[in-house]
Amino acid sequence: MNFKWLKQMMPRGLYGRGAMILLLPIVSMQLVVSVVFIQRHFERVTQQLTGSMLLELQMLDSWVDSAPDAKTARDRAAALAAPLALSVTLPSPVPEFDGTPRRFYDFTGIVVTDQLKLGLYDLQAVDLSDGGWVRLWLGTRFGSMEVSFPRDRASASNPHQLLVLMVAVGLLMTLIAYLFLRNQLRPIRRLAVMAEAFGKGQNVTYRISGATEVRSAGAAFLDMRARIERNIEQRTMMLSAISHDLRTPLTRLRLGLSMMPQDPEYAQDVTDMERDVDEMGRLIDAFLDFSRRDAQAAPAEDVDLGQLVREAVNHASRGGRPVELRDCPQPGALIMHLRADDIRRAVDNLIGNALRYGDRAVVSLVASERTARVSVEDAGPGIAPDRHDEALRPFTRLDPSRNQDRGQGVGLGLSIALDIVRSHGGNLYLRKSAELGGLWAEITLPR
Ligand SMILES: Nc1ncnc2c1ncn2[C@@H]1O[C@H](COP(=O)(O)OP(=O)(O)OP(=O)(O)O)[C@@H](O)[C@H]1O
Ligand SMILES: [Mg+2]
């Protein structure tokens, strides 16, 4: 059996599902009770009441019918009407009815009519249009006789009150259950919000509350968050301590090199060493920068992403470098809530890579209803699919031989970009550019 369609019809959220779990039993119970009760109980009660009414009517009918003349018949009718609490008119013309008039919700009226028709062979018409009264016409030898009596003598009064009561109580119970449910679900929602925020690098305060299971999940999450935060802090401290401590001897080295006696024999070596020292300084700067990134998160603001990408491309193409902007929304068309400096840095890193490893870069920004995608393509050698994950890791440089002539990178560009994009709830994908043959790096950001 395939229950996929059933699954698709189910509400997605916890609230919806909870409400359904609550409502389904209540509604079906009410349905069953209504059907059984109204069908059986009221039908029987009505039958019995109408049945005893029938006896009186039959007696009245036969007494009137057996009278010798019309005057005696009227006297007999009047004499019987008082003790039986009926109101009788003889003769009374039968009104022209189409069937039996009754109120549309008067279901017991059907039973009453049926019973009357069964028990009174000379019944001519029944009128139930006045909910409080039963009026009927009997054919006698002296013309039609109109008999009327209160409706509650023929059927239980106000059966719909039960329905109204049941629906009202049902609604009330649903409301109460919903309030309870909401209180139970709120801690789960708060936990989800906190987890999502933490994934984006924000720290939302969270107080443990709710049912035992939710509490323990919350506590476990708080533990985990604390551990991750401690790890990040330690990493940051370690990196900055190392970088900082390396700087001093490095400065001393640079100084020492510049004070070397000018001996033509070693001039080349000294130049090489100076270059290496500079390179090391650059690396240390990059490490320091990387380790500080987590600590200095600027607040997000409304930013024109199109403008940001356009600026990044303009900046990168300075000095005639081959960077091309292909698609980009009009200014003001794509305003997004993000940390502009960080996103700018991610885009810069991708363009920088494309220029360094791929000679030229083609940038485009496409927005759909739910995401904005910045992609940077190049015509270089690309990265083999099985090394994409590796390239995204910090401090990894792939295939150093091929990069040598282009200046060494630190191996942080992609991982910083990934970090930034993830902290905005987005992602960074690498694949092969179909058009240019090099790498296609794409940032997706939720709108
Ligand atoms: N567009 C590209 N084409 C081919 N290889 C690339 C491309 N972009 C990145 N790579 C490879 O992935 C590796 C990691 O890139 P990443 O940007 O993280 O570091 P990097 O460029 O070496 O150093 P940094 O960007 O920190 O200066 C690079 O060393 C390079 O080998
Ligand atoms: Mg790079």
Side-chain angles (χ1 to χ4, degrees), residues 282 286 349-350 353-358 378 380-383 390-400 402-403 408-416 438-440:
R282 211 164 50 72
N349 284 356
L350 296 187
N353 279 353
L355 287 177
R356 186 189 276 169
Y357 307 109
D378 65 57
I383 304 178
E390 200 183 332
L392 289 170
R393 253 177 259 145
F395 306 116
T396 41
R397 278 161 285 189
L398 308 177
D399 196 5
R402 94 173 167 217
N403 301 341
Q408 280 280 19
V410 186
L412 282 175
L414 286 178
S415 75
I416 287 178
L439 186 73
W440 171 346

Short mmCIF file of all heavy atoms in Angstrom, two decimals, residues 282 286 349-350 353-358 378 380-383 390-400 402-403 408-416 438-440, ligand 1:
data_model
loop_
_atom_site.label_atom_id
_atom_site.label_comp_id
_atom_site.label_asym_id
_atom_site.label_seq_id
_atom_site.Cartn_x
_atom_site.Cartn_y
_atom_site.Cartn_z
N ARG A 282 53.17 37.61 6.04
CA ARG A 282 51.86 37.63 5.41
C ARG A 282 50.98 36.48 5.93
O ARG A 282 49.80 36.66 6.23
CB ARG A 282 52.04 37.51 3.89
CG ARG A 282 51.00 38.22 3.08
CD ARG A 282 51.47 38.38 1.64
NE ARG A 282 51.95 37.12 1.05
CZ ARG A 282 51.17 36.12 0.71
NH1 ARG A 282 49.88 36.20 0.90
NH2 ARG A 282 51.68 35.02 0.21
N ALA A 286 47.48 36.53 7.97
CA ALA A 286 46.27 35.80 7.56
C ALA A 286 45.73 34.96 8.71
O ALA A 286 44.52 34.91 8.95
CB ALA A 286 46.57 34.92 6.36
N ASN A 349 37.05 36.81 -2.15
CA ASN A 349 37.88 35.60 -2.12
C ASN A 349 37.66 34.75 -3.36
O ASN A 349 38.61 34.23 -3.95
CB ASN A 349 37.56 34.76 -0.88
CG ASN A 349 38.15 35.36 0.37
OD1 ASN A 349 38.87 36.37 0.30
ND2 ASN A 349 37.86 34.76 1.51
N LEU A 350 36.38 34.59 -3.76
CA LEU A 350 36.08 33.76 -4.93
C LEU A 350 36.65 34.40 -6.20
O LEU A 350 37.25 33.72 -7.04
CB LEU A 350 34.56 33.56 -5.08
CG LEU A 350 33.86 32.81 -3.96
CD1 LEU A 350 32.41 32.55 -4.32
CD2 LEU A 350 34.56 31.49 -3.68
N ASN A 353 40.40 34.00 -6.25
CA ASN A 353 40.81 32.65 -6.67
C ASN A 353 40.69 32.49 -8.18
O ASN A 353 41.59 31.95 -8.83
CB ASN A 353 39.92 31.60 -6.00
CG ASN A 353 40.36 31.31 -4.59
OD1 ASN A 353 41.42 31.79 -4.16
ND2 ASN A 353 39.58 30.54 -3.87
N ALA A 354 39.54 32.96 -8.72
CA ALA A 354 39.31 32.80 -10.16
C ALA A 354 40.42 33.50 -10.93
O ALA A 354 40.92 32.98 -11.94
CB ALA A 354 37.95 33.35 -10.55
N LEU A 355 40.82 34.68 -10.48
CA LEU A 355 41.87 35.42 -11.20
C LEU A 355 43.23 34.76 -11.01
O LEU A 355 44.04 34.70 -11.93
CB LEU A 355 41.91 36.86 -10.70
CG LEU A 355 40.75 37.71 -11.16
CD1 LEU A 355 40.84 39.10 -10.56
CD2 LEU A 355 40.71 37.80 -12.68
N ARG A 356 43.45 34.23 -9.80
CA ARG A 356 44.76 33.67 -9.51
C ARG A 356 44.96 32.33 -10.22
O ARG A 356 46.02 32.06 -10.77
CB ARG A 356 44.94 33.48 -8.02
CG ARG A 356 46.35 33.04 -7.66
CD ARG A 356 46.46 32.66 -6.22
NE ARG A 356 46.68 33.80 -5.35
CZ ARG A 356 46.60 33.71 -4.01
NH1 ARG A 356 46.28 32.57 -3.45
NH2 ARG A 356 46.82 34.75 -3.27
N TYR A 357 43.92 31.50 -10.19
CA TYR A 357 44.08 30.15 -10.75
C TYR A 357 43.45 30.00 -12.12
O TYR A 357 43.66 29.01 -12.79
CB TYR A 357 43.47 29.10 -9.82
CG TYR A 357 43.98 29.20 -8.40
CD1 TYR A 357 43.17 29.66 -7.39
CD2 TYR A 357 45.30 28.86 -8.10
CE1 TYR A 357 43.63 29.77 -6.10
CE2 TYR A 357 45.77 28.98 -6.81
CZ TYR A 357 44.93 29.43 -5.80
OH TYR A 357 45.40 29.55 -4.54
N GLY A 358 42.61 30.97 -12.51
CA GLY A 358 41.84 30.74 -13.74
C GLY A 358 41.90 31.85 -14.76
O GLY A 358 41.11 31.85 -15.69
N ASP A 378 35.48 30.49 -13.76
CA ASP A 378 36.74 30.86 -14.42
C ASP A 378 37.12 29.81 -15.46
O ASP A 378 36.44 28.79 -15.58
CB ASP A 378 37.86 31.03 -13.39
CG ASP A 378 38.18 29.72 -12.68
OD1 ASP A 378 38.52 28.75 -13.37
OD2 ASP A 378 38.09 29.67 -11.43
N GLY A 380 40.12 28.30 -15.67
CA GLY A 380 41.36 27.65 -15.25
C GLY A 380 41.24 26.14 -15.23
O GLY A 380 40.33 25.56 -15.82
N PRO A 381 42.14 25.49 -14.51
CA PRO A 381 42.14 24.02 -14.46
C PRO A 381 41.01 23.46 -13.58
O PRO A 381 40.71 22.27 -13.66
CB PRO A 381 43.49 23.69 -13.85
CG PRO A 381 43.86 24.90 -13.06
CD PRO A 381 43.27 26.06 -13.78
N GLY A 382 40.39 24.30 -12.74
CA GLY A 382 39.32 23.81 -11.87
C GLY A 382 39.85 22.93 -10.75
O GLY A 382 41.06 22.80 -10.56
N ILE A 383 38.94 22.34 -10.02
CA ILE A 383 39.31 21.42 -8.94
C ILE A 383 38.57 20.11 -9.19
O ILE A 383 37.37 20.13 -9.49
CB ILE A 383 38.88 21.98 -7.56
CG1 ILE A 383 39.50 23.36 -7.34
CG2 ILE A 383 39.29 21.03 -6.45
CD1 ILE A 383 39.09 24.00 -6.02
N GLU A 390 38.10 19.06 0.29
CA GLU A 390 39.44 19.38 0.78
C GLU A 390 39.73 20.87 0.56
O GLU A 390 40.28 21.54 1.43
CB GLU A 390 40.44 18.52 0.01
CG GLU A 390 41.76 18.37 0.67
CD GLU A 390 42.71 17.56 -0.21
OE1 GLU A 390 42.21 16.72 -0.99
OE2 GLU A 390 43.91 17.79 -0.13
N ALA A 391 39.35 21.37 -0.61
CA ALA A 391 39.64 22.76 -0.94
C ALA A 391 38.94 23.72 0.01
O ALA A 391 39.42 24.82 0.27
CB ALA A 391 39.21 23.06 -2.38
N LEU A 392 37.80 23.25 0.55
CA LEU A 392 37.02 24.13 1.42
C LEU A 392 37.56 24.15 2.85
O LEU A 392 37.15 24.98 3.65
CB LEU A 392 35.55 23.67 1.45
CG LEU A 392 34.77 23.93 0.16
CD1 LEU A 392 33.44 23.23 0.18
CD2 LEU A 392 34.58 25.42 -0.04
N ARG A 393 38.50 23.24 3.17
CA ARG A 393 39.02 23.18 4.52
C ARG A 393 40.07 24.27 4.75
O ARG A 393 40.78 24.64 3.81
CB ARG A 393 39.64 21.80 4.77
CG ARG A 393 38.76 20.96 5.69
CD ARG A 393 39.33 19.60 5.87
NE ARG A 393 38.64 18.63 5.03
CZ ARG A 393 39.20 17.60 4.46
NH1 ARG A 393 40.49 17.39 4.57
NH2 ARG A 393 38.48 16.77 3.74
N PRO A 394 40.17 24.79 5.97
CA PRO A 394 41.16 25.84 6.19
C PRO A 394 42.60 25.31 6.04
O PRO A 394 42.86 24.13 6.31
CB PRO A 394 40.89 26.30 7.62
CG PRO A 394 40.00 25.29 8.23
CD PRO A 394 39.31 24.56 7.14
N PHE A 395 43.46 26.17 5.64
CA PHE A 395 44.91 25.89 5.51
C PHE A 395 45.23 24.80 4.50
O PHE A 395 46.27 24.16 4.61
CB PHE A 395 45.53 25.52 6.87
CG PHE A 395 45.26 26.55 7.93
CD1 PHE A 395 44.50 26.25 9.04
CD2 PHE A 395 45.75 27.84 7.78
CE1 PHE A 395 44.23 27.22 10.00
CE2 PHE A 395 45.50 28.80 8.74
CZ PHE A 395 44.74 28.49 9.85
N THR A 396 44.34 24.52 3.56
CA THR A 396 44.72 23.54 2.53
C THR A 396 44.93 24.25 1.21
O THR A 396 44.11 25.03 0.76
CB THR A 396 43.63 22.46 2.32
OG1 THR A 396 42.35 23.09 2.36
CG2 THR A 396 43.69 21.37 3.36
N ARG A 397 46.05 23.96 0.63
CA ARG A 397 46.35 24.41 -0.73
C ARG A 397 46.47 23.17 -1.58
O ARG A 397 47.19 22.24 -1.22
CB ARG A 397 47.67 25.17 -0.74
CG ARG A 397 47.51 26.59 -0.32
CD ARG A 397 48.82 27.17 0.09
NE ARG A 397 49.21 26.66 1.41
CZ ARG A 397 50.25 27.14 2.08
NH1 ARG A 397 50.98 28.09 1.57
NH2 ARG A 397 50.55 26.64 3.25
N LEU A 398 45.78 23.14 -2.67
CA LEU A 398 45.84 21.95 -3.52
C LEU A 398 46.98 22.11 -4.50
O LEU A 398 47.22 23.22 -4.98
CB LEU A 398 44.53 21.79 -4.28
CG LEU A 398 43.26 21.82 -3.44
CD1 LEU A 398 42.05 21.72 -4.34
CD2 LEU A 398 43.26 20.67 -2.45
N ASP A 399 47.61 21.00 -4.79
CA ASP A 399 48.54 20.96 -5.91
C ASP A 399 49.49 22.16 -5.92
O ASP A 399 49.44 22.99 -6.82
CB ASP A 399 47.69 20.96 -7.20
CG ASP A 399 48.54 20.52 -8.37
OD1 ASP A 399 49.70 20.16 -8.14
OD2 ASP A 399 48.02 20.57 -9.49
N PRO A 400 50.36 22.29 -4.91
CA PRO A 400 51.16 23.50 -4.79
C PRO A 400 52.00 23.77 -6.04
O PRO A 400 52.27 24.91 -6.36
CB PRO A 400 52.03 23.25 -3.57
CG PRO A 400 51.80 21.85 -3.17
CD PRO A 400 50.62 21.31 -3.89
N ARG A 402 51.29 23.67 -9.10
CA ARG A 402 50.67 24.44 -10.16
C ARG A 402 50.42 25.89 -9.75
O ARG A 402 50.16 26.75 -10.56
CB ARG A 402 49.37 23.76 -10.59
CG ARG A 402 48.13 24.28 -9.91
CD ARG A 402 46.90 23.67 -10.50
NE ARG A 402 45.77 23.95 -9.62
CZ ARG A 402 44.80 23.11 -9.40
NH1 ARG A 402 44.79 21.94 -9.94
NH2 ARG A 402 43.82 23.45 -8.60
N ASN A 403 50.51 26.12 -8.42
CA ASN A 403 50.24 27.48 -7.98
C ASN A 403 51.52 28.31 -7.84
O ASN A 403 51.43 29.50 -7.61
CB ASN A 403 49.55 27.46 -6.62
CG ASN A 403 48.25 26.68 -6.68
OD1 ASN A 403 47.73 26.49 -7.77
ND2 ASN A 403 47.79 26.25 -5.54
N GLN A 408 51.91 32.11 -3.60
CA GLN A 408 51.26 31.16 -2.72
C GLN A 408 50.09 31.78 -1.97
O GLN A 408 50.18 32.89 -1.48
CB GLN A 408 52.28 30.67 -1.69
CG GLN A 408 53.19 29.61 -2.21
CD GLN A 408 52.53 28.25 -2.20
OE1 GLN A 408 51.31 28.14 -2.14
NE2 GLN A 408 53.31 27.20 -2.30
N GLY A 409 49.04 31.03 -1.87
CA GLY A 409 47.97 31.46 -0.99
C GLY A 409 48.18 30.81 0.36
O GLY A 409 49.07 29.97 0.53
N VAL A 410 47.38 31.20 1.32
CA VAL A 410 47.48 30.61 2.65
C VAL A 410 46.59 29.37 2.73
O VAL A 410 46.77 28.50 3.57
CB VAL A 410 47.07 31.65 3.71
CG1 VAL A 410 47.30 31.11 5.10
CG2 VAL A 410 47.82 32.93 3.51
N GLY A 411 45.61 29.32 1.86
CA GLY A 411 44.66 28.20 1.90
C GLY A 411 43.47 28.49 2.78
O GLY A 411 42.83 27.59 3.30
N LEU A 412 43.19 29.78 2.94
CA LEU A 412 42.07 30.14 3.82
C LEU A 412 40.88 30.74 3.07
O LEU A 412 39.77 30.79 3.59
CB LEU A 412 42.54 31.16 4.86
CG LEU A 412 43.33 30.59 6.02
CD1 LEU A 412 43.85 31.72 6.90
CD2 LEU A 412 42.50 29.64 6.83
N GLY A 413 41.12 31.18 1.84
CA GLY A 413 40.09 31.94 1.12
C GLY A 413 38.75 31.24 1.06
O GLY A 413 37.73 31.81 1.44
N LEU A 414 38.74 29.99 0.60
CA LEU A 414 37.48 29.28 0.44
C LEU A 414 36.83 28.97 1.79
O LEU A 414 35.62 29.08 1.95
CB LEU A 414 37.69 27.99 -0.35
CG LEU A 414 37.92 28.17 -1.86
CD1 LEU A 414 38.17 26.82 -2.52
CD2 LEU A 414 36.73 28.85 -2.50
N SER A 415 37.68 28.58 2.77
CA SER A 415 37.07 28.20 4.05
C SER A 415 36.49 29.42 4.75
O SER A 415 35.44 29.32 5.40
CB SER A 415 38.08 27.49 4.94
OG SER A 415 38.98 28.41 5.47
N ILE A 416 37.12 30.57 4.60
CA ILE A 416 36.54 31.79 5.18
C ILE A 416 35.22 32.11 4.49
O ILE A 416 34.20 32.41 5.14
CB ILE A 416 37.52 32.97 5.06
CG1 ILE A 416 38.67 32.77 6.04
CG2 ILE A 416 36.82 34.29 5.33
CD1 ILE A 416 39.73 33.85 5.97
N GLY A 438 36.48 25.86 -16.15
CA GLY A 438 37.23 25.93 -14.89
C GLY A 438 36.32 25.66 -13.71
O GLY A 438 35.40 24.85 -13.78
N LEU A 439 36.62 26.35 -12.62
CA LEU A 439 35.83 26.14 -11.41
C LEU A 439 34.60 27.05 -11.43
O LEU A 439 34.64 28.18 -11.92
CB LEU A 439 36.66 26.46 -10.17
CG LEU A 439 35.99 26.14 -8.84
CD1 LEU A 439 35.93 24.65 -8.61
CD2 LEU A 439 36.71 26.82 -7.69
N TRP A 440 33.51 26.52 -10.90
CA TRP A 440 32.30 27.33 -10.72
C TRP A 440 32.02 27.31 -9.23
O TRP A 440 31.66 26.28 -8.68
CB TRP A 440 31.16 26.73 -11.53
CG TRP A 440 29.82 27.34 -11.26
CD1 TRP A 440 29.48 28.16 -10.24
CD2 TRP A 440 28.65 27.18 -12.06
NE1 TRP A 440 28.17 28.52 -10.34
CE2 TRP A 440 27.62 27.94 -11.45
CE3 TRP A 440 28.35 26.48 -13.22
CZ2 TRP A 440 26.35 28.00 -11.96
CZ3 TRP A 440 27.06 26.55 -13.72
CH2 TRP A 440 26.08 27.30 -13.10
N1 LIG B 1 39.28 28.92 -9.15
C1 LIG B 1 40.11 27.92 -8.83
N2 LIG B 1 40.64 27.12 -9.79
C2 LIG B 1 41.45 26.11 -9.45
N3 LIG B 1 41.83 25.81 -8.19
C3 LIG B 1 41.35 26.58 -7.21
C4 LIG B 1 40.47 27.66 -7.47
N4 LIG B 1 40.12 28.20 -6.28
C5 LIG B 1 40.78 27.52 -5.35
N5 LIG B 1 41.52 26.55 -5.88
C6 LIG B 1 42.35 25.60 -5.16
O1 LIG B 1 41.83 25.45 -3.85
C7 LIG B 1 42.83 25.78 -2.89
C8 LIG B 1 42.20 26.46 -1.71
O2 LIG B 1 41.76 27.75 -2.09
P1 LIG B 1 41.67 28.90 -1.05
O3 LIG B 1 41.10 30.11 -1.68
O4 LIG B 1 40.95 28.35 0.16
O5 LIG B 1 43.16 29.14 -0.64
P2 LIG B 1 44.28 29.89 -1.41
O6 LIG B 1 43.73 30.57 -2.60
O7 LIG B 1 45.35 28.90 -1.64
O8 LIG B 1 44.78 30.93 -0.32
P3 LIG B 1 44.08 32.31 0.10
O9 LIG B 1 42.85 32.42 -0.67
O10 LIG B 1 43.89 32.16 1.56
O11 LIG B 1 45.10 33.33 -0.22
C9 LIG B 1 43.81 26.63 -3.61
O12 LIG B 1 45.10 26.44 -3.07
C10 LIG B 1 43.75 26.11 -5.03
O13 LIG B 1 44.63 25.04 -5.21
#
